[in-house]
């Protein structure tokens, strides 16, 4: 546990594992440690644990159990879809993606485009982070195999209108990958209602352990595996299942679904934090503030202050937040997301992300408002000349 004084506002980076998930995992290390494919009792017990978790994960993702497979993380799920779908469909080579997708999507697509494997078209977003819908319609055509649109953006929390994007993709015979890594546990998910063909989630973003995630694949879509072996997980992810982590994911998925109704409380705290900081600190912009956003995310840009400096000083005050921008050898480099939104440098360089969870308290929020105000005010003050 971090020291009690630590105020953890970096839950979009990763979350604390729920005690309930940890507790459920322990017997699968100590007692039911069989291989989930072994025929004996310990194997059967492990298999039951996996299938019980699969049902919980499918319920969270709004898909059938046989449409959900376990992966190691969001990055892997996205890679299975992109590479596996290309391998299964050699005749369509175009992939369309929004300009604010996570690097697990954009870097892979850029690498594939660079070696000539795909034609890549990037769809811009507006200054407020919403997908340019007209540009999306223009980009997706009859040669498009896959469109990639995340449900909620990791830095700003901006939520994209997935059903409308799905309709466009399907009208051209293309598939839609929805990266729901940031949305899980914060928004209701449904493969069916969103109109997605593929959906990825990652356990460590919603209080499951690190190293476990899931991918939902709409029934009937052919995807080739990235590697071959024992044929586990619909043949798409050979290798002995990480049973304890899967069990932990199942518990976290159940809790995420059951506690979705209380996300309104997280939103109240996020709004309190945002309003408190904006009222106390001059010259701020709430990035993406005009769009529908994740209830736990506040991205506040402090004009003309370096976000990485703010985050460093906040860390010294035991507040954990994050900055996408950084200054390398004196060169200001805003995050790819802020660049894609076209924000002016003096705003983009000062963008700090505060992300809450169901464990965040009102008392922590109030303390954070005071500390952030003091830190930013301090950083804005001109350095005093040294006295002799
Ligand atoms: N997609 C989004 C939107 C993310 O925020 C992240 C992680 O930050 C990922 C994918 C990658 O997830 P993982 O770290 O589990 O590979």
């Amino acid at each position: 546990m971090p020291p009690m004084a630590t105020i953890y506002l970096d839950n979009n980076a990763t979350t604390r594992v729920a005690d309930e998930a940890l507790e459920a995992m322990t017997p699968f290390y100590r007692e039911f440690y069989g291989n989930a494919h072994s025929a004996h009792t310990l194997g059967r017990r492990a298999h039951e644990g996996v299938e019980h978790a699969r049902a919980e994960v499918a319920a969270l993702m709004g898909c059938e159990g046989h449409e959900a497979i376990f992966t190691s993380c969001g990055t892997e799920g996205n890679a299975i879809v992109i590479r596996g779908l290309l391998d299964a469909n050699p005749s369509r080579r175009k992939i369309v993606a929004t300009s604010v997708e996570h690097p697990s999507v954009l870097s892979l697509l850029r690498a594939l485009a660079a070696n000539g494997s795909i034609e890549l078209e990037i769809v811009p977003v507006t200054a407020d982070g919403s997908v340019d819908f007209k540009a999306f319609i223009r980009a997706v055509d009859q040669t498009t195999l896959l469109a990639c649109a995340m449900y909620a953006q990791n830095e700003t929390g901006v939520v994209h209108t997935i059903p409308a994007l799905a309709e466009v993709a399907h009208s051209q015979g293309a598939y839609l990958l929805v990266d729901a890594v940031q949305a899980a546990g914060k928004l209701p998910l449904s493969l069916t209602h969103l109109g997605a063909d593929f959906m990825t989630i990652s356990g460590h973003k919603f209080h499951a352990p690190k190293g476990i995630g899931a991918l939902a694949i709409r029934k009937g879509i052919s995807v080739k595996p990235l590697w071959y072996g024992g044929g586990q997980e619909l043949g798409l992810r050979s290798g002995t299942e990480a049973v304890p982590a899967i069990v932990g994911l199942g518990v976290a998925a159940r809790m995420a679904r059951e506690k979705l109704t209380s996300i309104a409380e997280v939103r109240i705290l996020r709004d309190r934090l945002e309003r408190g900081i904006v009222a106390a600190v001059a010259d701020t912009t709430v990035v993406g503030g005009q769009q529908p956003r994740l209830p736990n995310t506040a991205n506040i840009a402090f004009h003309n202050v370096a976000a990485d400096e703010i985050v460093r000083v906040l860390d010294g005050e035991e507040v954990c937040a994050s900055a996408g921008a950084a200054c390398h050898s004196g060169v200001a480099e805003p995050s790819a997301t802020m660049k894609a939104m076209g924000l002016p440098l003096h705003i983009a360089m000062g963008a700090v992300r505060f992300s809450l969870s169901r464990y965040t308290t009102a008392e922590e929020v109030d303390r954070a408002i005071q500390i952030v105000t003091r830190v930013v005010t301090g950083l804005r003050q001109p350095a005093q000349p040294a006295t002799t």
Side-chain angles (χ1 to χ4, degrees):
M1 290 278 277
M4 283 315 282
T6 298
I7 303 174
Y8 187 73
L9 298 175
D10 200 15
N11 288 280
N12 286 12
T14 199
T15 58
R16 165 185 150 185
V17 177
D19 292 344
E20 294 85 341
L22 255 184
E23 231 168 80
M25 291 167 67
T26 307
F28 288 87
Y29 284 114
R30 308 179 81 153
E31 294 159 55
F32 313 123
Y33 46 78
N35 185 313
H37 288 267
S38 294
H40 47 65
T41 310
L42 288 195
R44 278 198 304 278
R45 193 69 185 80
H47 178 74
E48 282 162 21
V50 168
E51 292 315 313
H52 182 71
R54 195 185 309 281
E56 292 291 2
V57 167
L60 177 70
M61 298 179 91
C63 68
E64 301 292 326
H66 56 261
E67 293 176 310
I69 68 164
F70 295 110
T71 59
S72 65
C73 60
T75 302
E76 186 192 329
N78 289 336
I80 292 177
V81 173
I82 292 167
R83 289 184 183 274
L85 197 61
L86 279 166
D87 285 350
N89 295 273
S91 60
R92 282 198 181 211
R93 294 282 97 182
K94 182 171 176 183
I95 299 188
V96 170
T98 84
S99 59
V100 291
E101 294 303 297
H102 186 265
S104 57
V105 170
L106 278 185
S107 318
L108 172 56
L109 294 180
R110 289 202 172 107
L112 292 170
N115 71 18
S117 303
I118 61 164
E119 181 199 338
L120 173 62
E121 186 157 350
I122 304 285
V123 174
V125 296
T126 65
D128 229 0
S130 69
V131 178
D132 181 336
F133 191 58
K134 285 191 181 139
F136 187 82
I137 293 174
R138 279 196 302 275
V140 180
D141 61 23
Q142 297 274 323
T143 67
T144 307
L145 173 64
L146 178 69
C148 306
M150 67 206 327
Y151 196 6
Q153 218 286 328
N154 40 297
E155 284 183 46
T156 60
V158 168
V159 175
H160 296 147
T161 51
I162 298 300
L165 301 175
E167 224 177 287
V168 173
H170 293 157
S171 71
Q172 300 297 322
Y175 296 109
L176 183 72
L177 163 61
V178 175
D179 174 338
V181 166
Q182 290 295 344
K186 303 166 195 163
L187 299 174
L189 299 181
S190 168
L191 188 74
T192 317
H193 293 142
L194 288 170
D197 300 292
F198 305 97
M199 186 188 288
T200 51
I201 61 171
S202 182
H204 72 98
K205 305 288 189 185
F206 59 97
H207 309 290
K210 292 163 184 62
I212 191 72
L215 161 63
I217 303 179
R218 195 162 53 75
K219 193 167 56 196
I221 303 179
S222 173
V223 176
K224 292 260 201 266
L226 296 189
W227 62 79
Y228 292 84
Q232 289 93 338
E233 299 302 301
L234 302 179
L236 278 176
R237 192 168 187 277
S238 286
T240 301
E241 289 94 343
V243 178
I246 289 172
V247 168
L249 182 70
V251 171
R254 174 177 53 73
M255 293 178 74
R257 206 160 40 87
E258 287 174 358
K259 292 187 182 295
L260 203 55
T261 46
S262 58
I263 199 77
E265 290 158 30
V266 177
R267 183 189 296 275
I268 289 168
L269 289 183
R270 187 278 309 269
D271 290 348
R272 177 166 168 160
L273 177 75
E274 206 166 84
R275 275 201 288 268
I277 292 175
V278 169
V281 185
D283 299 325
T284 55
T285 301
V286 176
V287 181
Q290 302 305 313
Q291 291 296 321
R293 280 183 301 156
L294 290 176
N296 79 317
T297 308
N299 191 310
I300 303 177
F302 302 93
H303 304 182
N304 299 308
V305 195
D308 54 349
E309 263 297 277
I310 299 175
V311 166
R312 191 184 57 75
V313 181
L314 283 178
D315 184 40
E317 302 266 354
E318 296 187 67
V319 175
C320 303
S322 83
C327 214
H328 301 293
S329 318
V331 179
E333 187 60 31
S335 79
T337 304
M338 299 297 144
K339 266 196 205 167
M341 293 168 74
L343 294 179
L345 201 61
H346 74 285
I347 294 181
M349 287 305 295
V352 178
R353 180 185 70 189
F354 304 93
S355 45
L356 289 66
S357 81
R358 61 173 178 259
Y359 298 117
T360 309
T361 65
E363 189 267 328
E364 287 176 325
V365 163
D366 291 344
R367 260 196 307 138
I369 294 169
Q370 285 179 9
I371 296 170
V372 170
T373 304
R374 178 159 38 81
V375 164
V376 176
T377 309
L379 285 170
R380 276 184 173 154
Q381 256 155 24
Q384 298 297 315
T387 49
T388 50

